[in-house]
Amino acid sequence: QVQLVESGGGLVQAGGSLRLSCAASGRTFSNYAMGWFRQAPGKERVIVARISRSGGSTSYADSVKGRFTISRDNAKNTVYLQMNSLEPEDTAVYYCARAAVYGTSPSNYDYWGQGTQVTVSS
């Protein structure tokens, strides 16, 4: 049984920052890479960032490079997404997910959180 719970979303002005957290259940958290995805209304769910099992490797969508940072604390079974210099285009529901394989497609991920809304106003 795997459960992922996101938190930290909210309303922020353009240029501001938010930190999202994803708390995971289970004793095998460190065995899995994790990813953050987002989905805006009427748009496809796309990857934002991913992180390897140990946290030693990360990857970002071009749209967020230099602004977002993914990290993890395996001792706390938690993945984070630090979002800086937020733009209205970042407005979406953000999801964390566990990777079955370390890919960029939603189909590469087998467990998902419920999502947390991020709204960036101009």
Side-chain angles (χ1 to χ4, degrees), residues 2 5-7 11 25 54 58 64 70 73 79 88 91-92 95 100 109:
V2 176
V5 180
E6 302 99 332
S7 62
L11 175 64
S25 66
S54 68
T58 59
V64 307
I70 188 171
D73 186 338
V79 182
T91 295
Y95 300 89
Y109 293 76

Side-chain angles (χ1 to χ4, degrees), residues 14-115:
S17 297
L18 286 173
R19 188 180 75 158
L20 306 183
S21 298
C22 174
S25 66
R27 295 185 295 272
T28 60
F29 176 74
S30 63
N31 291 341
Y32 296 92
M34 300 289 293
W36 283 98
F37 291 75
R38 68 187 184 189
Q39 187 167 25
K43 300 186 72 175
E44 196 172 51
R45 187 173 301 187
V46 296
I47 197 162
V48 175
R50 53 182 173 149
I51 188 166
S52 63
R53 290 171 291 178
S54 68
S57 297
T58 59
S59 182
Y60 299 91
D62 287 342
S63 59
V64 307
K65 283 181 181 176
R67 300 189 297 119
F68 290 12
T69 302
I70 188 171
S71 61
R72 68 191 297 163
D73 186 338
N74 286 345
K76 296 180 179 178
N77 278 18
T78 303
V79 182
Y80 304 96
L81 185 68
Q82 178 67 48
M83 305 185 295
N84 299 326
S85 301
L86 283 162
E87 304 167 351
E89 293 76 15
D90 297 317
T91 295
V93 177
Y94 284 70
Y95 300 89
C96 67
R98 190 185 83 170
V101 297
Y102 193 54
T104 59
S105 170
S107 64
N108 296 138
Y109 293 76
D110 57 3
Y111 287 92
W112 294 80
Q114 83 287 351

